[in-house]
Amino acid sequence: MSAQPESEKQHVYLDEKEQIPTPISESLHSEDHERTNGGDTAFANAPWKYKIIALVTALLFPLGSHFSASALSAMKSTMIEELAINNTQYGVISAAVSIVNTIFPIAGGVFIDLFGSVWGTLAVNGMIILGSLFTAIACKYQSFALIVVARVIFGIGSGLIVTMQESLLSKWFRTKHLSLAIGLQLSISRLSTFLGTLVANPVAESTGDWVWAFWLSFILCCFSIVMNLIYALVVRHLQGSAILSTKEKENLKRKKTFKWRSVFKFPIIYWHIIVIEFIYAAVWSSFQTISTDLIKKHFGSTQRLAGYKASASQTVPIVATPILGFVMDYYGFRCTILLISAIFLILSSGLLGWSLVDPVVGMVFYSISLAFGPIAMITSIGMILPSDYIGTGLGIYKSSNNVGTSILDVAVGVVQDKTAGQSYTNVMLVFIILAGIGFVLITGLIVHQYFVWGNLLEMGRAKRVVRMQEINDKELEYTSKGLDPYTDTPRKKYNYPLVGLFVAAMITAWVLFFVYSINGGEA
């Protein structure tokens, strides 16, 4: 079905490679144009030598935070032993990072508006350093309560820095090579996680002090803020060099007014993707927190060897995500790639839970799932929402990620504590059931987007560009007049219960977190 039905009329974001920005130099020929600070909107027109510096430094913003998060996962067995806690309490420590980010990604846009792109990233990187420092101190003095507080502080920063990073990359590369930039961002984040999983236990063993894994995390967080400062110098150099028209400035001011009720106008396919993300992100994240301990207990490996083998779970995304970005830009197949992700997650859970095949095989299968899934969903959201609501859509996407992770982190600890011998058999059963549900939902998504959206998410570049250009022009008819892209789109009744379920899941995550933070495994 090539045409989109009137009842499901949507505004689709134009592929970044087809956007044709108005050259800034043209503004010199109009009397109503004046020289002003273009701010972040001028980044797309900056010389490439500045773009390269911005790309390299921005990619390293979350290096320390990703390393710290994976080091915590790799040190699970050691932490449980040294802190004298149970698996449920460890789940609370893990969930402390994600629980605060059930809310902050949605509020991230307001945060950026208040502090700006430079001050915002510096502020959240400062929180990451503070949280990382408190984590190391808490481990040194073996304080469970302080670790939870430290991870909450760390979580606020680590959640927002990724949102800001994606936003900045979109501004610098919105006219060309955005998919490649996002692919590199995902690749570097997985590389950081890989290194954290790989070296945490060797560092602890070689220094004779398990806390040194967290001191190293703190040092890398300091390195990240140095990169942030270099980025700030680049932006400062460019500040004031852009020229915007008075009309453009007025339109930018109008865009800052966000209409929350428009969330109820989002298409149902968006919420379809959010439900898939809710399930799969929870499994991916929770799986990562137990991977080292799983290999140690199920396969009888040493702590150090288990860490090495678990690090294989991060290898494929390091190489594959930039390639997948290229493939989706030119050939489409977003839903197909997402379905492949589901298949490999099911296979991985089965191999690691009920076989004695070398765990590296299961970890590589998991890694393939992790590489294929997120990039397919993130780029799909960019196609089905109006450009003015992509930030909001991605904020809810990231929030759902953390809601699901917070719930499953605690649930995994409870299930393991109640399993004989604290084995992972029942935990892996939970994972494989959730992965199976996700597979069914993705199959439904393929049918949904084919009949309602004219196969948009599977289209190759040639057809997709024409289709998106047409709908983007309709969106511009509204935005050029300072109107909301959803002005003539009615609110959809089915969105009210969907938003209600999302809020209910968020409340559930917070209740579980506080109950098990206070009572530990006794709840």
Side-chain angles (χ1 to χ4, degrees), residues 374-426:
I375 193 170
M377 288 187 281
I378 291 171
T379 55
S380 294
I381 289 173
M383 294 171 64
I384 62 177
L385 291 180
S387 57
D388 285 356
Y389 286 94
I390 289 177
T392 303
L394 289 175
I396 296 174
Y397 170 90
K398 291 182 182 297
S399 178
S400 70
N401 178 324
N402 290 297
V403 168
T405 300
S406 298
I407 293 172
L408 197 56
D409 272 347
V410 176
V412 162
V414 173
V415 170
Q416 187 183 2
D417 281 336
K418 294 183 181 299
T419 302
Q422 295 193 343
S423 74
Y424 280 99
T425 305
N426 290 338

Side-chain angles (χ1 to χ4, degrees), residues 16-19 21 44 51 170 172-177:
E16 65 272 10
K17 295 185 179 179
E18 298 303 316
Q19 293 183 37
K51 284 189 173 185
S170 297
W172 282 94
F173 298 97
R174 64 181 181 180
T175 55
K176 283 186 178 180
H177 309 303

Side-chain angles (χ1 to χ4, degrees), residues 197-198 295 301 304-313 358-360 363:
T197 306
L198 183 69
I295 293 174
S301 299
R304 187 168 186 168
L305 182 60
Y308 285 141
K309 291 189 174 183
S311 65
S313 65
D358 194 302
V360 172
M363 289 296 169

Side-chain angles (χ1 to χ4, degrees), residues 333-479:
F333 301 121
R334 284 168 174 80
C335 292
T336 301
I337 288 171
L338 187 56
L339 193 65
I340 292 171
S341 172
I343 292 170
F344 275 96
L345 184 58
I346 293 171
L347 292 174
S348 172
S349 299
L351 285 173
L352 292 169
W354 292 278
S355 82
L356 292 177
V357 174
D358 194 302
V360 172
V361 177
M363 289 296 169
V364 170
F365 279 14
Y366 164 85
S367 188
I368 293 172
S369 175
L370 190 62
F372 281 51
I375 193 170
M377 288 187 281
I378 291 171
T379 55
S380 294
I381 289 173
M383 294 171 64
I384 62 177
L385 291 180
S387 57
D388 285 356
Y389 286 94
I390 289 177
T392 303
L394 289 175
I396 296 174
Y397 170 90
K398 291 182 182 297
S399 178
S400 70
N401 178 324
N402 290 297
V403 168
T405 300
S406 298
I407 293 172
L408 197 56
D409 272 347
V410 176
V412 162
V414 173
V415 170
Q416 187 183 2
D417 281 336
K418 294 183 181 299
T419 302
Q422 295 193 343
S423 74
Y424 280 99
T425 305
N426 290 338
V427 171
M428 299 310 293
L429 180 61
V430 171
F431 285 171
I432 205 167
I433 289 172
L434 290 174
I437 293 172
F439 180 88
V440 173
L441 288 170
I442 294 168
T443 303
L445 179 66
I446 294 174
V447 175
H448 184 172
Q449 66 87 34
Y450 181 84
F451 286 103
V452 179
W453 288 76
N455 208 34
L456 180 65
L457 301 183
E458 291 284 283
M459 276 184 186
R461 181 179 174 84
K463 292 182 179 179
R464 187 181 71 247
V465 166
V466 173
R467 172 81 179 277
M468 294 175 75
Q469 180 68 65
E470 292 174 354
I471 303 179
N472 190 71
D473 288 343
K474 293 179 181 179
E475 180 184 332
L476 288 174
E477 291 178 8
Y478 289 94
T479 57

Side-chain angles (χ1 to χ4, degrees), residues 114-130:
L114 289 174
F115 292 98
S117 63
V118 172
W119 293 111
T121 52
L122 286 171
V124 297
N125 254 326
M127 295 192 74
I128 291 171
I129 288 178
L130 192 62

Side-chain angles (χ1 to χ4, degrees), residues 75-86 142 210 296:
M75 297 293 290
K76 177 180 178 180
S77 294
T78 303
M79 290 184 70
I80 289 175
E81 181 180 343
E82 295 290 339
L83 299 174
I85 59 177
N86 57 34
Q142 300 181 343
W210 69 283
K296 179 184 175 183

